[in-house]
Amino acid sequence: MLVDAAGLWFRSYYALPESLTAPDGTPVNAVRGFCDMLARLLTERSPDRVIVCLDNDWRPEFRVRALPSYKTHRLAEQSPEAEDVPDTLSPQIPVILDLLGALGVDTAEAAGYEADDVMATLSSTERNDPVDVITGDRDLFQLVRREPTPVRVVYIGGGLNRIQDYGPRELAERYGLPEQNPATAYADMAVLRGDPSDGLPGVPGVGEKTAAKLVSRFGSVDSLLEAARHGDEGLTTRTRRLLLEAEEYLAAAPTVVRTVTDAPVVHTLSSDGRGEIPVDTSAVAELRRSWGLGSPVDRLVAALG
């Protein structure tokens, strides 16, 4: 199981009230929610291994060079290099990481890359076990595959009570994509559709359904552009015009949307994410006591076995 760390702690922070505090009055709503969400996922899915994946750089330079608008709206006013993280969430993140380390839960990151790239690299290089990718980011649907080892994306964007579990068949059916390679088609569809939350404008006038139909018919963004340049009769005059007007964007956006599968991943607690990591029971107990975490930590300990 590969877990998108930020996806869990942001959802936990906004799902639970800040009135959940440590003995010193510090909010611990994100910590408590993170523990409970991870415990539930572990209990329900019973993975042999779990790796929590981190953003080393949430706005990598290579993506910004390709498309300067990438995530610009998320920049904190005080620093162009910082993500706009709520003031009461930031102090909770080190607590979560300390707790994971004490529990022997490995984390992984890659210098200059996002957690998406870490999960893409780890899932694409796995040759022994099926992989579950836990995320609330639809961009990671591009990781779904059948072989050489199956990768499924467990989408938690609607909360744990509305989990959507996507393999190739489910992804193809949900978006009307070719079943033989829906993940690659999804990435191309995402380029065409765009994503305002990431600063991706998309092709004006081309929504999700139209994008899916175009990718299914022409196979890729490159093939679609080539068809537009040559006046393919499968494209309406309006669609050809829209595509050609967006040609500069379409040349840059794939670098932003497509995940990197060869990121230099480094594990925090193990050399490769496979070794048995000892639990520091005294550190767990102290974190539980000092931050007033109580039953959420107990549930996570039980779920980890």
Side-chain angles (χ1 to χ4, degrees):
M1 178 183 285
L2 301 176
V3 178
D4 178 359
L8 255 65
W9 63 53
F10 270 102
R11 278 167 179 76
S12 299
Y13 176 81
Y14 287 112
L16 297 175
E18 289 186 33
S19 57
L20 295 170
T21 59
D24 67 356
T26 303
V28 289
N29 53 326
V31 184
R32 294 174 69 94
F34 187 97
C35 289
D36 277 335
M37 289 182 76
L38 184 56
R40 179 170 169 182
L41 288 162
L42 292 168
T43 300
E44 292 180 353
R45 306 193 74 85
S46 302
D48 295 318
R49 292 181 287 136
V50 58
I51 301 172
V52 175
C53 301
L54 309 172
D55 286 317
N56 178 274
D57 188 340
W58 65 278
R59 193 170 178 257
E61 182 183 352
F62 72 92
R63 290 195 167 103
V64 176
R65 280 201 311 267
L67 198 67
S69 65
Y70 183 55
K71 293 185 178 179
T72 49
H73 68 292
R74 300 191 199 179
L75 293 174
E77 291 182 6
Q78 68 273 20
S79 170
E81 302 302 325
E83 186 171 18
D84 191 6
V85 178
D87 291 341
T88 51
L89 171 58
S90 295
Q92 298 187 59
I93 294 172
V95 180
I96 292 171
L97 296 178
D98 286 346
L99 186 58
L100 291 173
L103 287 167
V105 176
D106 199 18
T107 57
E109 61 185 306
Y113 292 88
E114 299 177 65
D116 290 10
D117 302 308
V118 175
M119 290 183 279
T121 298
L122 292 176
S123 62
S124 68
T125 54
E126 178 60 46
R127 293 293 180 268
N128 298 309
D129 300 316
V131 178
D132 282 351
V133 174
I134 311 295
T135 185
D137 186 348
R138 293 190 301 168
D139 287 343
L140 288 178
F141 288 158
Q142 64 186 285
L143 304 188
V144 167
R145 72 182 191 194
R146 288 190 183 85
E147 52 188 22
T149 50
V151 177
R152 300 185 69 86
V153 168
V154 181
Y155 182 68
I156 60 170
L160 294 192
N161 291 327
R162 296 168 59 191
I163 281 177
Q164 296 170 293
D165 192 331
Y166 288 94
R169 178 176 60 80
E170 292 85 359
L171 186 60
E173 290 177 356
R174 168 66 178 81
Y175 290 99
L177 298 170
E179 191 168 336
Q180 64 271 25
N181 198 4
T184 300
Y186 182 89
D188 283 326
M189 182 192 77
V191 167
L192 293 168
R193 175 196 65 202
D195 185 350
S197 69
D198 279 342
L200 290 164
V203 178
V206 176
E208 186 168 274
K209 290 184 178 179
T210 300
K213 290 177 181 177
L214 290 172
V215 170
S216 296
R217 176 162 186 172
F218 292 94
S220 69
V221 168
D222 290 341
S223 297
L224 182 58
L225 266 177
E226 193 67 19
R229 293 188 192 105
H230 289 87
D232 192 294
E233 293 182 358
L235 296 169
T236 65
T237 301
R238 177 178 178 273
T239 301
R240 286 200 301 272
R241 177 178 57 79
L242 291 171
L243 290 169
L244 293 175
E245 288 175 352
E247 192 165 359
E248 185 176 346
Y249 161 77
L250 291 173
T255 298
V256 176
V257 171
R258 292 170 187 160
T259 52
V260 174
T261 57
D262 59 353
V265 174
V266 175
H267 294 266
T268 306
L269 300 180
S270 71
S271 60
D272 60 1
R274 295 182 180 277
E276 188 75 17
I277 302 168
V279 177
D280 187 337
T281 53
S282 61
V284 173
E286 176 57 23
L287 287 164
R288 181 187 185 280
R289 182 198 64 79
S290 61
W291 293 101
L293 298 174
S295 54
V297 166
D298 295 341
R299 285 189 285 270
L300 182 52
V301 169
L304 287 165

